[in-house]
Amino acid sequence: MIDKPVLLVIAHGSRDPRHAATVHALVRRVRSLRPDVRVETGFLDFNVPSVQGALESLATQGVRTVVALPLLLTRAFHAKADIPAVLADAPPQLRIHQTEVLGPSPLLLSALERRLYEAGLSPADKSSTGVVLASAGSTDPEAIAVIAEIAREWRHTGWCAVRPAFASAGSPAGFPRTEDAVRELRALGCSRVAVAPYVLAPGFLPDRIARGAAEADVLADVLGPAPEVARVVLERYEAARVPAPAAVSA
């Protein structure tokens, strides 16, 4: 019997082959940081193995404890409904601990800046550069509020301005698209405008972000297997594997 918790990274999945390739690259980086931790991958849709298939395979191999990590940046429908429902159907011999989603985290802000610098910016450009924080979008008020707060927090690190933008047509009316946010930053007088995709892997919505960045000066890559993202994955794993002790009443 294998008692050490296995980390199961749960990704959304996509018809776009770049999505799964990026997820696997991130998982390889996580493994390289913690070779003592077994890390597996399951997909909610489109790709294999499915989450259910991965769980059944682990149970067959004698695994008893799994830490399930939603590879998501915000707590929206997938984290609140889809993933708990799939985990509820896991083989009964498995003890499953679901982690928090990856965001928000200071490490993710560091990853966003890493991608901007890789795209050609430097720290000296911050005060003259406006940044579009371009997320996939959501109809979930909690997820929307988190993106807006990340933009406000990031603005205080020295950028000329930071504006959130949303790629999904399902996002609430009044929330800017990437191209609208780029034009707003131009109108504010920022000398340079950069678009930072707050997404983990390529796909349909990241491609829409890229099209919306056509008038920007800089377009960063997706977060993908950035080392900071891998570190957040392991932070979430450790927090779920070793729950914080309960507060002791005085």
Short mmCIF file of all heavy atoms in Angstrom, two decimals, residues 7-14 19 23 26-27 41-45 51 68-87 98-105 107-108 135-138 140 142-143 146-147 150 197-201 205 223-224 228-234 236-237:
data_model
loop_
_atom_site.label_atom_id
_atom_site.label_comp_id
_atom_site.label_asym_id
_atom_site.label_seq_id
_atom_site.Cartn_x
_atom_site.Cartn_y
_atom_site.Cartn_z
N LEU A 7 0.18 14.01 -5.80
CA LEU A 7 -0.37 15.28 -6.28
C LEU A 7 -1.00 15.05 -7.65
O LEU A 7 -0.32 14.65 -8.60
CB LEU A 7 0.74 16.33 -6.38
CG LEU A 7 0.39 17.64 -7.07
CD1 LEU A 7 -0.81 18.32 -6.41
CD2 LEU A 7 1.60 18.57 -7.09
N LEU A 8 -2.30 15.28 -7.73
CA LEU A 8 -3.02 15.17 -9.00
C LEU A 8 -3.38 16.57 -9.48
O LEU A 8 -4.20 17.25 -8.88
CB LEU A 8 -4.30 14.33 -8.85
CG LEU A 8 -5.16 14.22 -10.12
CD1 LEU A 8 -4.40 13.52 -11.24
CD2 LEU A 8 -6.48 13.52 -9.82
N VAL A 9 -2.72 16.99 -10.54
CA VAL A 9 -2.98 18.30 -11.14
C VAL A 9 -4.16 18.16 -12.08
O VAL A 9 -4.13 17.36 -13.02
CB VAL A 9 -1.74 18.80 -11.89
CG1 VAL A 9 -2.05 20.09 -12.64
CG2 VAL A 9 -0.59 19.01 -10.91
N ILE A 10 -5.22 18.94 -11.82
CA ILE A 10 -6.44 18.85 -12.61
C ILE A 10 -6.52 20.05 -13.54
O ILE A 10 -6.72 21.19 -13.11
CB ILE A 10 -7.68 18.79 -11.71
CG1 ILE A 10 -7.60 17.56 -10.79
CG2 ILE A 10 -8.95 18.74 -12.56
CD1 ILE A 10 -8.76 17.45 -9.82
N ALA A 11 -6.37 19.79 -14.84
CA ALA A 11 -6.41 20.84 -15.85
C ALA A 11 -7.75 20.82 -16.58
O ALA A 11 -8.45 19.79 -16.59
CB ALA A 11 -5.26 20.67 -16.84
N HIS A 12 -8.07 21.94 -17.20
CA HIS A 12 -9.36 22.03 -17.90
C HIS A 12 -9.40 21.13 -19.12
O HIS A 12 -10.37 20.41 -19.35
CB HIS A 12 -9.62 23.48 -18.31
CG HIS A 12 -10.94 23.69 -18.96
ND1 HIS A 12 -11.17 23.45 -20.31
CD2 HIS A 12 -12.13 24.11 -18.46
CE1 HIS A 12 -12.43 23.70 -20.60
NE2 HIS A 12 -13.03 24.11 -19.50
N GLY A 13 -8.33 21.17 -19.91
CA GLY A 13 -8.33 20.43 -21.17
C GLY A 13 -8.78 21.31 -22.32
O GLY A 13 -9.49 22.31 -22.13
N SER A 14 -8.35 20.97 -23.53
CA SER A 14 -8.67 21.78 -24.71
C SER A 14 -8.46 20.96 -25.96
O SER A 14 -7.65 20.04 -26.00
CB SER A 14 -7.78 23.02 -24.74
OG SER A 14 -7.92 23.73 -25.95
N HIS A 19 -2.41 23.39 -25.35
CA HIS A 19 -2.87 23.42 -23.96
C HIS A 19 -2.27 22.26 -23.17
O HIS A 19 -1.61 22.46 -22.14
CB HIS A 19 -4.40 23.35 -23.93
CG HIS A 19 -4.97 23.25 -22.55
ND1 HIS A 19 -5.31 24.34 -21.78
CD2 HIS A 19 -5.27 22.16 -21.78
CE1 HIS A 19 -5.77 23.94 -20.62
NE2 HIS A 19 -5.76 22.63 -20.59
N VAL A 23 0.52 22.19 -20.08
CA VAL A 23 0.24 21.58 -18.78
C VAL A 23 1.31 20.56 -18.43
O VAL A 23 1.83 20.52 -17.31
CB VAL A 23 -1.16 20.94 -18.77
CG1 VAL A 23 -1.38 20.10 -17.50
CG2 VAL A 23 -2.24 22.01 -18.88
N LEU A 26 4.51 22.21 -17.37
CA LEU A 26 4.43 22.69 -15.99
C LEU A 26 4.59 21.55 -15.01
O LEU A 26 5.32 21.66 -14.01
CB LEU A 26 3.09 23.41 -15.77
CG LEU A 26 2.80 23.85 -14.33
CD1 LEU A 26 3.87 24.80 -13.81
CD2 LEU A 26 1.42 24.48 -14.24
N VAL A 27 3.94 20.43 -15.27
CA VAL A 27 4.05 19.27 -14.38
C VAL A 27 5.49 18.77 -14.32
O VAL A 27 5.99 18.40 -13.25
CB VAL A 27 3.07 18.17 -14.82
CG1 VAL A 27 3.37 16.84 -14.12
CG2 VAL A 27 1.63 18.60 -14.54
N THR A 41 -1.41 13.91 -13.78
CA THR A 41 -2.27 14.89 -14.43
C THR A 41 -3.58 14.25 -14.83
O THR A 41 -3.61 13.11 -15.30
CB THR A 41 -1.58 15.45 -15.70
OG1 THR A 41 -0.27 15.89 -15.36
CG2 THR A 41 -2.37 16.62 -16.27
N GLY A 42 -4.67 15.00 -14.66
CA GLY A 42 -5.98 14.60 -15.15
C GLY A 42 -6.67 15.79 -15.78
O GLY A 42 -6.44 16.93 -15.37
N PHE A 43 -7.49 15.54 -16.80
CA PHE A 43 -8.16 16.62 -17.51
C PHE A 43 -9.67 16.51 -17.35
O PHE A 43 -10.23 15.41 -17.37
CB PHE A 43 -7.80 16.58 -19.00
CG PHE A 43 -6.35 16.87 -19.28
CD1 PHE A 43 -5.41 15.83 -19.33
CD2 PHE A 43 -5.92 18.16 -19.49
CE1 PHE A 43 -4.08 16.09 -19.59
CE2 PHE A 43 -4.57 18.43 -19.75
CZ PHE A 43 -3.66 17.40 -19.80
N LEU A 44 -10.32 17.66 -17.23
CA LEU A 44 -11.78 17.67 -17.12
C LEU A 44 -12.45 17.35 -18.45
O LEU A 44 -13.54 16.78 -18.48
CB LEU A 44 -12.26 19.05 -16.64
CG LEU A 44 -11.97 19.41 -15.18
CD1 LEU A 44 -12.36 20.86 -14.93
CD2 LEU A 44 -12.74 18.49 -14.24
N ASP A 45 -11.81 17.72 -19.55
CA ASP A 45 -12.45 17.53 -20.86
C ASP A 45 -11.37 17.48 -21.94
O ASP A 45 -10.25 17.94 -21.74
CB ASP A 45 -13.40 18.70 -21.13
CG ASP A 45 -14.55 18.32 -22.05
OD1 ASP A 45 -14.52 17.21 -22.61
OD2 ASP A 45 -15.48 19.14 -22.21
N VAL A 51 -9.89 13.01 -15.34
CA VAL A 51 -9.68 13.02 -13.89
C VAL A 51 -10.15 11.70 -13.29
O VAL A 51 -9.45 11.08 -12.47
CB VAL A 51 -10.44 14.20 -13.24
CG1 VAL A 51 -10.28 14.16 -11.72
CG2 VAL A 51 -9.93 15.53 -13.79
N ALA A 68 -5.61 16.84 -4.67
CA ALA A 68 -6.12 17.24 -5.99
C ALA A 68 -6.02 18.75 -6.13
O ALA A 68 -6.63 19.49 -5.34
CB ALA A 68 -7.56 16.78 -6.16
N LEU A 69 -5.28 19.20 -7.11
CA LEU A 69 -5.04 20.63 -7.29
C LEU A 69 -5.71 21.13 -8.56
O LEU A 69 -5.35 20.71 -9.66
CB LEU A 69 -3.54 20.90 -7.35
CG LEU A 69 -3.15 22.37 -7.51
CD1 LEU A 69 -1.92 22.70 -6.67
CD2 LEU A 69 -2.89 22.73 -8.98
N PRO A 70 -6.70 22.02 -8.45
CA PRO A 70 -7.30 22.62 -9.64
C PRO A 70 -6.31 23.58 -10.30
O PRO A 70 -5.89 24.55 -9.67
CB PRO A 70 -8.51 23.38 -9.10
CG PRO A 70 -8.74 22.84 -7.70
CD PRO A 70 -7.38 22.46 -7.22
N LEU A 71 -5.94 23.32 -11.51
CA LEU A 71 -4.99 24.18 -12.22
C LEU A 71 -5.77 25.37 -12.79
O LEU A 71 -5.99 25.50 -13.99
CB LEU A 71 -4.29 23.39 -13.33
CG LEU A 71 -2.99 24.01 -13.85
CD1 LEU A 71 -1.95 24.08 -12.74
CD2 LEU A 71 -2.46 23.21 -15.02
N LEU A 72 -6.19 26.22 -11.86
CA LEU A 72 -7.03 27.37 -12.17
C LEU A 72 -6.49 28.58 -11.44
O LEU A 72 -5.93 28.46 -10.35
CB LEU A 72 -8.48 27.11 -11.73
CG LEU A 72 -9.16 25.88 -12.33
CD1 LEU A 72 -10.45 25.58 -11.58
CD2 LEU A 72 -9.45 26.12 -13.82
N LEU A 73 -6.72 29.75 -12.01
CA LEU A 73 -6.21 30.98 -11.40
C LEU A 73 -7.23 31.65 -10.49
O LEU A 73 -6.86 32.47 -9.65
CB LEU A 73 -5.76 31.95 -12.49
CG LEU A 73 -4.56 31.46 -13.32
CD1 LEU A 73 -4.32 32.39 -14.51
CD2 LEU A 73 -3.32 31.37 -12.45
N THR A 74 -8.52 31.35 -10.67
CA THR A 74 -9.56 31.94 -9.82
C THR A 74 -10.58 30.87 -9.44
O THR A 74 -10.70 29.84 -10.11
CB THR A 74 -10.30 33.08 -10.55
OG1 THR A 74 -10.87 32.58 -11.76
CG2 THR A 74 -9.37 34.24 -10.86
N ARG A 75 -11.30 31.15 -8.36
CA ARG A 75 -12.36 30.25 -7.91
C ARG A 75 -13.65 30.60 -8.63
O ARG A 75 -14.41 31.47 -8.19
CB ARG A 75 -12.57 30.34 -6.40
CG ARG A 75 -11.50 29.70 -5.56
CD ARG A 75 -11.91 29.64 -4.10
NE ARG A 75 -12.91 28.60 -3.86
CZ ARG A 75 -14.18 28.82 -3.55
NH1 ARG A 75 -14.65 30.06 -3.46
NH2 ARG A 75 -15.00 27.82 -3.35
N ALA A 76 -13.89 29.92 -9.72
CA ALA A 76 -15.14 30.11 -10.46
C ALA A 76 -15.84 28.75 -10.57
O ALA A 76 -15.64 27.88 -9.74
CB ALA A 76 -14.86 30.74 -11.82
N PHE A 77 -16.65 28.57 -11.62
CA PHE A 77 -17.53 27.41 -11.69
C PHE A 77 -16.76 26.09 -11.64
O PHE A 77 -17.17 25.15 -10.95
CB PHE A 77 -18.37 27.47 -12.97
CG PHE A 77 -19.36 26.36 -13.08
CD1 PHE A 77 -20.55 26.39 -12.37
CD2 PHE A 77 -19.11 25.25 -13.88
CE1 PHE A 77 -21.47 25.35 -12.47
CE2 PHE A 77 -20.01 24.21 -13.98
CZ PHE A 77 -21.21 24.27 -13.27
N HIS A 78 -15.65 26.00 -12.37
CA HIS A 78 -14.92 24.73 -12.39
C HIS A 78 -14.43 24.34 -11.00
O HIS A 78 -14.52 23.17 -10.60
CB HIS A 78 -13.74 24.81 -13.36
CG HIS A 78 -14.15 24.94 -14.79
ND1 HIS A 78 -15.02 24.06 -15.41
CD2 HIS A 78 -13.81 25.85 -15.74
CE1 HIS A 78 -15.20 24.41 -16.66
NE2 HIS A 78 -14.48 25.49 -16.88
N ALA A 79 -13.91 25.31 -10.27
CA ALA A 79 -13.37 25.01 -8.93
C ALA A 79 -14.48 24.75 -7.92
O ALA A 79 -14.30 23.95 -7.00
CB ALA A 79 -12.49 26.17 -8.46
N LYS A 80 -15.61 25.44 -8.10
CA LYS A 80 -16.69 25.34 -7.11
C LYS A 80 -17.65 24.19 -7.37
O LYS A 80 -18.29 23.69 -6.44
CB LYS A 80 -17.48 26.65 -7.07
CG LYS A 80 -16.68 27.84 -6.58
CD LYS A 80 -17.51 29.12 -6.64
CE LYS A 80 -16.73 30.32 -6.14
NZ LYS A 80 -17.52 31.57 -6.23
N ALA A 81 -17.78 23.78 -8.63
CA ALA A 81 -18.79 22.77 -8.97
C ALA A 81 -18.22 21.58 -9.72
O ALA A 81 -18.33 20.43 -9.26
CB ALA A 81 -19.90 23.42 -9.80
N ASP A 82 -17.59 21.80 -10.86
CA ASP A 82 -17.13 20.70 -11.71
C ASP A 82 -16.15 19.77 -10.99
O ASP A 82 -16.33 18.54 -10.97
CB ASP A 82 -16.47 21.24 -12.97
CG ASP A 82 -17.47 21.75 -13.98
OD1 ASP A 82 -18.68 21.52 -13.78
OD2 ASP A 82 -17.05 22.38 -14.96
N ILE A 83 -15.11 20.35 -10.44
CA ILE A 83 -14.07 19.52 -9.83
C ILE A 83 -14.56 18.80 -8.59
O ILE A 83 -14.34 17.58 -8.44
CB ILE A 83 -12.80 20.35 -9.58
CG1 ILE A 83 -12.17 20.72 -10.92
CG2 ILE A 83 -11.80 19.60 -8.70
CD1 ILE A 83 -10.98 21.65 -10.83
N PRO A 84 -15.26 19.48 -7.66
CA PRO A 84 -15.80 18.72 -6.51
C PRO A 84 -16.72 17.58 -6.93
O PRO A 84 -16.71 16.52 -6.30
CB PRO A 84 -16.56 19.80 -5.73
CG PRO A 84 -15.87 21.07 -6.06
CD PRO A 84 -15.47 20.93 -7.50
N ALA A 85 -17.49 17.78 -8.00
CA ALA A 85 -18.40 16.72 -8.46
C ALA A 85 -17.61 15.52 -8.97
O ALA A 85 -17.96 14.36 -8.68
CB ALA A 85 -19.32 17.25 -9.55
N VAL A 86 -16.54 15.76 -9.72
CA VAL A 86 -15.73 14.65 -10.23
C VAL A 86 -15.03 13.94 -9.07
O VAL A 86 -14.99 12.70 -9.01
CB VAL A 86 -14.68 15.17 -11.24
CG1 VAL A 86 -13.72 14.06 -11.63
CG2 VAL A 86 -15.38 15.71 -12.48
N LEU A 87 -14.52 14.69 -8.13
CA LEU A 87 -13.82 14.08 -7.00
C LEU A 87 -14.77 13.28 -6.12
O LEU A 87 -14.36 12.29 -5.50
CB LEU A 87 -13.11 15.16 -6.17
CG LEU A 87 -11.99 15.93 -6.90
CD1 LEU A 87 -11.39 16.98 -5.98
CD2 LEU A 87 -10.91 14.98 -7.41
N GLN A 98 -8.74 18.42 -1.66
CA GLN A 98 -8.71 19.39 -2.75
C GLN A 98 -8.03 20.66 -2.27
O GLN A 98 -8.39 21.23 -1.23
CB GLN A 98 -10.12 19.72 -3.25
CG GLN A 98 -10.11 20.72 -4.42
CD GLN A 98 -11.50 21.00 -4.96
OE1 GLN A 98 -12.41 20.16 -4.86
NE2 GLN A 98 -11.70 22.19 -5.53
N THR A 99 -7.07 21.15 -3.03
CA THR A 99 -6.36 22.37 -2.66
C THR A 99 -7.15 23.60 -3.11
O THR A 99 -8.13 23.51 -3.86
CB THR A 99 -4.98 22.45 -3.33
OG1 THR A 99 -5.13 22.82 -4.71
CG2 THR A 99 -4.23 21.13 -3.23
N GLU A 100 -6.68 24.75 -2.66
CA GLU A 100 -7.17 26.01 -3.21
C GLU A 100 -6.65 26.17 -4.63
O GLU A 100 -5.68 25.52 -5.04
CB GLU A 100 -6.68 27.18 -2.35
CG GLU A 100 -7.24 27.20 -0.94
CD GLU A 100 -8.74 27.41 -0.91
OE1 GLU A 100 -9.26 28.08 -1.83
OE2 GLU A 100 -9.39 26.90 0.01
N VAL A 101 -7.30 27.04 -5.40
CA VAL A 101 -6.80 27.35 -6.74
C VAL A 101 -5.49 28.12 -6.61
O VAL A 101 -5.08 28.53 -5.51
CB VAL A 101 -7.83 28.18 -7.53
CG1 VAL A 101 -9.11 27.35 -7.75
CG2 VAL A 101 -8.15 29.49 -6.82
N LEU A 102 -4.82 28.34 -7.72
CA LEU A 102 -3.49 28.93 -7.67
C LEU A 102 -3.50 30.41 -7.26
O LEU A 102 -2.60 30.88 -6.57
CB LEU A 102 -2.81 28.80 -9.04
CG LEU A 102 -2.57 27.37 -9.53
CD1 LEU A 102 -1.86 27.41 -10.88
CD2 LEU A 102 -1.78 26.56 -8.53
N GLY A 103 -4.49 31.14 -7.72
CA GLY A 103 -4.50 32.57 -7.44
C GLY A 103 -5.48 32.97 -6.36
O GLY A 103 -6.38 32.21 -6.03
N PRO A 104 -5.25 34.15 -5.81
CA PRO A 104 -4.14 35.06 -6.09
C PRO A 104 -2.90 34.66 -5.30
O PRO A 104 -2.99 34.00 -4.27
CB PRO A 104 -4.68 36.42 -5.62
CG PRO A 104 -5.64 36.07 -4.51
CD PRO A 104 -6.26 34.75 -4.91
N SER A 105 -1.75 35.09 -5.79
CA SER A 105 -0.48 34.80 -5.11
C SER A 105 0.56 35.81 -5.58
O SER A 105 0.62 36.12 -6.78
CB SER A 105 0.01 33.39 -5.43
OG SER A 105 1.36 33.22 -5.05
N LEU A 107 3.54 35.22 -6.03
CA LEU A 107 4.39 34.52 -6.99
C LEU A 107 3.83 34.64 -8.42
O LEU A 107 4.60 34.68 -9.38
CB LEU A 107 4.52 33.05 -6.61
CG LEU A 107 5.46 32.74 -5.44
CD1 LEU A 107 5.30 31.30 -4.99
CD2 LEU A 107 6.91 33.04 -5.82
N LEU A 108 2.52 34.68 -8.54
CA LEU A 108 1.93 34.82 -9.87
C LEU A 108 2.19 36.21 -10.45
O LEU A 108 2.39 36.36 -11.66
CB LEU A 108 0.44 34.51 -9.84
CG LEU A 108 0.09 33.06 -9.49
CD1 LEU A 108 -1.42 32.87 -9.44
CD2 LEU A 108 0.72 32.08 -10.48
N SER A 135 -7.34 38.51 -18.58
CA SER A 135 -7.74 37.18 -18.12
C SER A 135 -8.77 36.59 -19.08
O SER A 135 -9.31 37.29 -19.95
CB SER A 135 -8.33 37.25 -16.71
OG SER A 135 -9.60 37.84 -16.74
N ALA A 136 -9.02 35.31 -18.90
CA ALA A 136 -10.01 34.65 -19.75
C ALA A 136 -11.40 35.23 -19.55
O ALA A 136 -12.19 35.34 -20.48
CB ALA A 136 -10.02 33.15 -19.48
N GLY A 137 -11.71 35.61 -18.31
CA GLY A 137 -13.02 36.16 -18.00
C GLY A 137 -13.91 35.16 -17.31
O GLY A 137 -13.66 33.95 -17.33
N SER A 138 -14.96 35.67 -16.67
CA SER A 138 -15.86 34.83 -15.91
C SER A 138 -17.13 35.60 -15.62
O SER A 138 -17.15 36.83 -15.65
CB SER A 138 -15.19 34.41 -14.58
OG SER A 138 -16.09 33.69 -13.76
N ASP A 140 -18.53 34.79 -12.69
CA ASP A 140 -18.54 34.61 -11.24
C ASP A 140 -18.08 35.89 -10.56
O ASP A 140 -16.96 36.35 -10.80
CB ASP A 140 -17.63 33.45 -10.86
CG ASP A 140 -17.72 33.11 -9.39
OD1 ASP A 140 -17.19 33.89 -8.57
OD2 ASP A 140 -18.31 32.06 -9.06
N GLU A 142 -17.02 36.54 -7.58
CA GLU A 142 -15.79 36.37 -6.80
C GLU A 142 -14.57 36.40 -7.69
O GLU A 142 -13.57 37.07 -7.39
CB GLU A 142 -15.84 35.06 -6.01
CG GLU A 142 -14.59 34.81 -5.18
CD GLU A 142 -14.62 33.47 -4.46
OE1 GLU A 142 -15.65 32.77 -4.51
OE2 GLU A 142 -13.60 33.13 -3.83
N ALA A 143 -14.63 35.68 -8.81
CA ALA A 143 -13.49 35.64 -9.73
C ALA A 143 -13.22 37.02 -10.33
O ALA A 143 -12.07 37.45 -10.44
CB ALA A 143 -13.75 34.62 -10.83
N VAL A 146 -11.54 39.26 -7.79
CA VAL A 146 -10.13 38.90 -7.59
C VAL A 146 -9.26 39.50 -8.69
O VAL A 146 -8.19 40.06 -8.42
CB VAL A 146 -9.96 37.37 -7.53
CG1 VAL A 146 -8.50 36.97 -7.68
CG2 VAL A 146 -10.52 36.83 -6.22
N ILE A 147 -9.71 39.41 -9.94
CA ILE A 147 -8.93 39.97 -11.05
C ILE A 147 -8.79 41.48 -10.88
O ILE A 147 -7.69 42.05 -11.07
CB ILE A 147 -9.59 39.65 -12.41
CG1 ILE A 147 -9.61 38.14 -12.65
CG2 ILE A 147 -8.87 40.37 -13.54
CD1 ILE A 147 -8.26 37.50 -12.74
N ILE A 150 -6.24 42.16 -8.15
CA ILE A 150 -4.87 41.90 -8.60
C ILE A 150 -4.36 43.09 -9.41
O ILE A 150 -3.21 43.53 -9.24
CB ILE A 150 -4.80 40.61 -9.44
CG1 ILE A 150 -5.05 39.39 -8.55
CG2 ILE A 150 -3.45 40.48 -10.13
CD1 ILE A 150 -5.24 38.11 -9.33
N PRO A 197 -1.07 38.33 -20.41
CA PRO A 197 -2.15 37.35 -20.28
C PRO A 197 -2.09 36.64 -18.92
O PRO A 197 -1.08 36.00 -18.59
CB PRO A 197 -1.89 36.36 -21.42
CG PRO A 197 -1.02 37.12 -22.39
CD PRO A 197 -0.17 37.99 -21.52
N TYR A 198 -3.16 36.77 -18.17
CA TYR A 198 -3.26 36.06 -16.87
C TYR A 198 -3.97 34.75 -17.13
O TYR A 198 -5.08 34.50 -16.70
CB TYR A 198 -4.03 36.93 -15.88
CG TYR A 198 -4.00 36.43 -14.45
CD1 TYR A 198 -2.80 36.27 -13.77
CD2 TYR A 198 -5.17 36.14 -13.77
CE1 TYR A 198 -2.76 35.84 -12.45
CE2 TYR A 198 -5.15 35.71 -12.45
CZ TYR A 198 -3.95 35.56 -11.80
OH TYR A 198 -3.92 35.12 -10.49
N VAL A 199 -3.32 33.92 -17.90
CA VAL A 199 -3.83 32.60 -18.27
C VAL A 199 -2.66 31.61 -18.21
O VAL A 199 -1.50 31.99 -18.35
CB VAL A 199 -4.48 32.58 -19.67
CG1 VAL A 199 -5.75 33.41 -19.69
CG2 VAL A 199 -3.50 33.09 -20.73
N LEU A 200 -2.98 30.35 -18.02
CA LEU A 200 -1.95 29.34 -17.81
C LEU A 200 -1.45 28.69 -19.09
O LEU A 200 -0.28 28.31 -19.16
CB LEU A 200 -2.48 28.26 -16.86
CG LEU A 200 -2.58 28.69 -15.39
CD1 LEU A 200 -3.41 27.69 -14.61
CD2 LEU A 200 -1.19 28.82 -14.79
N ALA A 201 -2.31 28.55 -20.06
CA ALA A 201 -1.92 27.78 -21.25
C ALA A 201 -2.59 28.36 -22.50
O ALA A 201 -3.64 29.00 -22.40
CB ALA A 201 -2.32 26.31 -21.07
N LEU A 205 -9.30 31.30 -25.89
CA LEU A 205 -9.39 32.62 -25.25
C LEU A 205 -8.04 33.34 -25.22
O LEU A 205 -7.98 34.55 -25.48
CB LEU A 205 -10.00 32.51 -23.86
CG LEU A 205 -11.49 32.13 -23.85
CD1 LEU A 205 -12.00 31.96 -22.43
CD2 LEU A 205 -12.33 33.16 -24.61
N LEU A 223 1.41 32.27 -18.80
CA LEU A 223 2.22 31.92 -17.63
C LEU A 223 2.90 30.56 -17.79
O LEU A 223 4.07 30.39 -17.46
CB LEU A 223 1.35 31.93 -16.38
CG LEU A 223 0.79 33.30 -15.99
CD1 LEU A 223 -0.17 33.17 -14.81
CD2 LEU A 223 1.92 34.27 -15.66
N GLY A 224 2.15 29.58 -18.28
CA GLY A 224 2.71 28.27 -18.59
C GLY A 224 3.58 27.69 -17.49
O GLY A 224 3.24 27.77 -16.30
N GLU A 228 7.73 30.25 -11.07
CA GLU A 228 6.88 30.77 -10.00
C GLU A 228 5.55 30.02 -9.93
O GLU A 228 5.01 29.80 -8.84
CB GLU A 228 6.64 32.27 -10.19
CG GLU A 228 7.88 33.13 -10.10
CD GLU A 228 8.62 33.26 -11.43
OE1 GLU A 228 8.22 32.58 -12.41
OE2 GLU A 228 9.60 34.03 -11.48
N VAL A 229 5.03 29.65 -11.09
CA VAL A 229 3.77 28.89 -11.11
C VAL A 229 3.99 27.53 -10.47
O VAL A 229 3.16 27.06 -9.66
CB VAL A 229 3.24 28.75 -12.55
CG1 VAL A 229 1.95 27.92 -12.56
CG2 VAL A 229 2.98 30.12 -13.17
N ALA A 230 5.09 26.88 -10.80
CA ALA A 230 5.39 25.57 -10.20
C ALA A 230 5.53 25.69 -8.69
O ALA A 230 5.08 24.80 -7.95
CB ALA A 230 6.68 25.01 -10.82
N ARG A 231 6.10 26.77 -8.22
CA ARG A 231 6.24 26.96 -6.77
C ARG A 231 4.88 27.14 -6.10
O ARG A 231 4.65 26.65 -5.00
CB ARG A 231 7.15 28.14 -6.49
CG ARG A 231 8.63 27.87 -6.78
CD ARG A 231 9.44 29.14 -6.75
NE ARG A 231 9.33 29.83 -5.47
CZ ARG A 231 9.72 31.10 -5.29
NH1 ARG A 231 10.23 31.79 -6.30
NH2 ARG A 231 9.61 31.66 -4.10
N VAL A 232 3.96 27.85 -6.77
CA VAL A 232 2.61 27.99 -6.21
C VAL A 232 1.93 26.63 -6.14
O VAL A 232 1.26 26.30 -5.15
CB VAL A 232 1.75 28.97 -7.04
CG1 VAL A 232 0.34 29.06 -6.45
CG2 VAL A 232 2.38 30.35 -7.05
N VAL A 233 2.09 25.82 -7.19
CA VAL A 233 1.51 24.46 -7.18
C VAL A 233 1.98 23.71 -5.93
O VAL A 233 1.18 23.09 -5.21
CB VAL A 233 1.91 23.70 -8.45
CG1 VAL A 233 1.57 22.21 -8.33
CG2 VAL A 233 1.20 24.29 -9.67
N LEU A 234 3.27 23.77 -5.65
CA LEU A 234 3.81 23.04 -4.50
C LEU A 234 3.38 23.66 -3.18
O LEU A 234 3.17 22.94 -2.19
CB LEU A 234 5.33 22.96 -4.61
CG LEU A 234 5.81 22.04 -5.73
CD1 LEU A 234 7.31 22.20 -5.96
CD2 LEU A 234 5.48 20.58 -5.41
N ARG A 236 0.46 25.02 -2.67
CA ARG A 236 -0.92 24.55 -2.46
C ARG A 236 -0.92 23.08 -2.03
O ARG A 236 -1.74 22.67 -1.20
CB ARG A 236 -1.73 24.74 -3.74
CG ARG A 236 -1.86 26.19 -4.21
CD ARG A 236 -2.72 27.01 -3.27
NE ARG A 236 -2.88 28.37 -3.75
CZ ARG A 236 -2.21 29.43 -3.31
NH1 ARG A 236 -1.32 29.27 -2.33
NH2 ARG A 236 -2.42 30.63 -3.81
N TYR A 237 -0.04 22.31 -2.62
CA TYR A 237 0.07 20.89 -2.25
C TYR A 237 0.42 20.75 -0.78
O TYR A 237 -0.21 19.98 -0.05
CB TYR A 237 1.14 20.23 -3.12
CG TYR A 237 1.53 18.83 -2.68
CD1 TYR A 237 0.72 17.73 -2.96
CD2 TYR A 237 2.73 18.61 -1.99
CE1 TYR A 237 1.09 16.45 -2.56
CE2 TYR A 237 3.11 17.34 -1.60
CZ TYR A 237 2.28 16.26 -1.88
OH TYR A 237 2.65 15.00 -1.47
#
